[in-house]
Amino acid sequence: MIGRAFPLPSTDPQAGQPPSLCEVLLWIAGDTFHWLHNGHHRYPPAPGEESFTDMNIRHLRQFVGDRVKVFQFTKDQERQNGADWEMWIHNRTHGVGLRIQAKKASRQKRYLFEYTVGKQNAYQCDLLVEHARAVGCVPVYLLYNHLDWKGGGDEEAARAGLLCGHVAADGSHHGCTLLSAYRVQSEVGGKAGGHNVRHAVLRAESLPWNRVLCDRRSSAHASSSRSSSKILSEVFAAVKGLTLVGMGLSPTYSSVPTPSDGTQGDAAYARTPDGDGDGDTPAVLRGGPLLLPPHVVRLLDAHEAEPPAPPVPTVATVLVDVSDDRAQTPPNWFEGCVRYR
């Protein structure tokens, strides 16, 4: 272990209450932040994107306990497409899916956004968008960062009520941030007109992943009594805001309420395509959280060691269950954890 360890996510051993997903993602962001900073500035070389992704998925599986299922696929499959992995926040019937491509900040604070894939020499961001559409996901970049910043997209989104208030005092919540792939597409496409990719601008527009995917909007250590439909509605609104701004369909972040028609139980999932001014919005972000697509439903009952083949090649699929009645087992914190400061 290098340097001083920082606290692991907390749990209540008497109540058997595991940490929230938000708390775990915040911890992972801090671990990534300091690990990458050390790799660039104190103990080079910095680990690669694959190392960060593998470790972060392992931490997710370990910390959130039996609420998470992880299916890992072959390296050859990932090389055929533009995404590292797929993540679904779900309640076993509906969910919000992210198709994720990781990008590590270099020592000079730049990212390989202009990477091309395969013999067709296609931009990775274009393939990410294409394959996300094929599996009912929202395409995003997961940025691994080694610096913090103030203002930018997360301040705007927080003012709009789309993000939780769970941040780290040292700014290390910026260790893992989400950026719309549509925004990257636009920036990379601008090169044809002679414009350079503005890495600092894109980084500042990204949002801390724990604040987007928060499952506990009150205190990070409070017992969660919120329903799964409420959690999914809030995650959906935050992801939708990130995407609309990334596509240039909204000049700034604003509250994106889900439809209120129907009974309280199904209000968050009302499917009303184009019914709320969403004509240009991707289909997966119209109305509310989607019914889980067939490939995710199959994974719910599959064994992690023998997953059915994914419809689009993927390195890993992570399923996070926020169901109201989900039995939760406190995780074993210290087994196999890497903690760099």
Side-chain angles (χ1 to χ4, degrees):
M1 183 179 296
I2 299 174
R4 177 170 60 88
F6 59 105
L8 288 162
S10 63
T11 189
D12 181 347
Q14 293 184 338
Q17 175 70 30
S20 67
L21 173 64
C22 179
E23 189 178 5
V24 171
L25 294 177
L26 178 62
W27 185 90
I28 291 174
D31 191 52
T32 300
F33 183 95
H34 295 292
W35 192 9
L36 184 55
H37 184 274
N38 283 343
H40 281 319
H41 303 286
R42 296 178 63 190
Y43 309 105
E49 289 159 2
E50 185 176 297
S51 296
F52 280 112
T53 296
D54 286 346
M55 186 59 68
N56 290 344
I57 289 177
R58 179 176 181 178
H59 283 162
L60 264 174
R61 168 190 269 162
Q62 174 184 337
F63 289 159
V64 193
D66 63 356
R67 287 181 290 162
V68 168
K69 293 185 75 172
V70 176
F71 300 90
Q72 304 223 223
F73 303 96
T74 68
K75 302 294 182 192
D76 289 339
Q77 289 177 318
E78 190 272 339
R79 293 191 185 101
Q80 300 174 37
N81 70 91
D84 275 340
W85 51 298
E86 199 170 305
M87 183 178 185
W88 285 85
I89 314 297
H90 71 95
N91 67 355
R92 287 179 266 169
T93 61
H94 295 77
V96 180
L98 303 178
R99 188 84 173 168
I100 299 170
Q101 173 63 53
K103 287 295 174 190
K104 177 190 73 174
S106 69
R107 184 185 174 94
Q108 293 73 32
K109 307 166 189 175
R110 299 174 67 85
Y111 310 83
L112 289 177
F113 288 131
E114 301 155 73
Y115 185 74
T116 56
V117 179
K119 296 180 180 178
Q120 68 270 45
N121 207 34
Y123 279 123
Q124 191 176 55
C125 56
D126 293 336
L127 292 179
L128 177 58
V129 169
E130 175 186 336
H131 288 110
R133 186 180 299 117
V135 292
C137 284
V138 179
V140 296
Y141 278 84
L142 173 59
L143 305 186
Y144 297 142
N145 304 301
H146 57 92
L147 74 160
D148 65 323
W149 59 87
K150 298 195 181 296
D154 49 328
E155 184 173 301
E156 295 175 2
R159 283 199 303 265
L162 295 178
L163 303 182
C164 72
H166 306 146
V167 299
D170 62 356
S172 62
H173 54 286
H174 286 121
C176 293
T177 60
L178 298 176
L179 175 66
S180 172
Y182 296 107
R183 183 68 183 85
V184 175
Q185 260 192 327
S186 174
E187 195 72 15
V188 171
K191 286 197 65 181
H195 303 290
N196 292 325
V197 173
R198 298 172 296 175
H199 297 262
V201 170
L202 292 178
R203 179 175 59 250
E205 292 181 5
S206 66
L207 306 179
W209 72 339
N210 72 293
R211 302 188 74 187
V212 174
L213 306 177
C214 181
D215 60 335
R216 194 170 297 171
R217 291 298 180 109
S218 56
S219 167
H221 304 288
S223 176
S224 177
S225 60
R226 294 159 61 252
S227 68
S228 64
S229 64
K230 182 66 172 174
I231 293 171
L232 291 181
S233 295
E234 291 173 345
V235 169
F236 175 85
V239 170
K240 182 173 182 177
L242 174 70
T243 305
L244 292 181
V245 171
M247 297 180 75
L249 296 178
S250 176
T252 186
Y253 287 96
S254 60
S255 180
V256 185
T258 53
S260 58
D261 55 312
T263 64
Q264 184 175 359
D266 64 11
Y269 314 128
R271 303 298 299 148
T272 54
D274 301 325
D276 54 356
D278 283 345
D280 296 323
T281 305
V284 296
L285 290 174
R286 299 176 190 169
L290 285 175
L291 275 170
L292 293 178
H295 75 284
V296 175
V297 173
R298 288 194 294 270
L299 291 176
L300 291 179
D301 296 322
H303 191 284
E304 288 179 294
E306 300 177 347
V312 175
T314 305
V315 159
T317 299
V318 178
L319 306 180
V320 182
D321 191 342
V322 296
S323 300
D324 302 330
D325 60 345
R326 181 65 173 169
Q328 299 174 0
T329 302
N332 180 350
W333 302 119
F334 295 99
E335 181 182 351
C337 288
V338 175
R339 296 178 291 156
Y340 292 119
R341 186 75 175 188

